[in-house]
Amino acid sequence: MGKNGEGACCYIRVALKLVEAECRWSRERGDCRRTDDSKKAVRVMIRWKSTKYKMMIMELIEGLVLVDELYSPAGDALGEKDLVAMVKEVFGEDISNYQQLREQFFDRKRELTPFLKRMIAAILKEADNRCGWRRKN
């Protein structure tokens, strides 16, 4: 085969390992979504720590919709309805009243986006910590 043939074979092996790992992960994820016959409840992989998470989810959804950065593979911008469906898939939570939550979100008087502000503060703090760590070396 020669030098190039050996390299191509190595890349094919690596690609096959990646495909196998992705298939295994997809099967595991599918197993987590299956319903338990005794409980009839969907099992999910991710849970929110907070009990008041629906408004946090709404903050994330509105932020993603307003920055207009998420698109479907067909090239269509994802809207609130699409993102709510994705949230249901990932977190197992149905936010069927998302229009009502959106109105409550924009009617807030004290602080419009407390969850997103906490996220921004955490990111900035981590960035400061990493820059400080680099300066010490």
Side-chain angles (χ1 to χ4, degrees):
M1 277 192 123
K3 201 172 195 178
N4 291 338
E6 291 171 9
C9 186
C10 179
Y11 288 124
I12 290 170
R13 279 193 214 114
V14 169
L16 285 173
K17 286 183 180 181
L18 290 173
V19 169
E20 288 170 1
E22 179 65 24
C23 290
R24 186 172 50 254
W25 184 78
S26 294
R27 279 193 305 272
E28 290 170 0
R29 189 176 64 191
D31 290 343
C32 287
R33 284 194 210 127
R34 289 194 187 122
T35 58
D36 186 6
D37 292 335
S38 62
K39 296 180 182 176
K40 298 288 183 194
V42 177
R43 292 179 8 198
V44 294
M45 296 172 67
I46 301 172
R47 293 270 183 223
W48 284 83
K49 182 173 89 171
S50 171
T51 57
K52 299 179 181 180
Y53 56 88
K54 286 190 177 184
M55 191 56 81
M56 294 178 184
I57 292 172
M58 204 62 224
E59 286 182 33
L60 285 173
I61 288 173
E62 284 304 318
L64 291 170
V65 168
L66 293 172
V67 295
D68 196 32
E69 282 291 327
L70 295 179
Y71 286 83
S72 71
D76 301 325
L78 294 178
E80 292 161 345
K81 188 176 182 178
D82 302 316
L83 293 173
V84 166
M86 288 180 186
V87 164
K88 184 177 181 179
E89 178 74 19
V90 173
F91 298 110
E93 295 296 336
D94 184 24
I95 306 178
S96 56
N97 64 337
Y98 71 92
Q99 294 100 341
Q100 181 185 7
L101 285 173
R102 184 184 62 208
E103 294 304 317
Q104 290 173 7
F105 168 72
F106 284 113
D107 286 342
R108 285 180 172 174
K109 301 291 186 222
R110 292 180 80 186
E111 195 174 12
L112 186 61
T113 58
F115 179 64
L116 293 180
K117 287 180 181 178
R118 279 181 31 217
M119 286 181 63
I120 291 168
I123 291 168
L124 291 174
K125 182 179 177 184
E126 182 64 21
D128 287 345
N129 290 342
R130 289 180 185 208
C131 288
W133 179 77
R134 288 188 187 134
R135 274 188 248 124
K136 290 178 185 177
N137 287 340

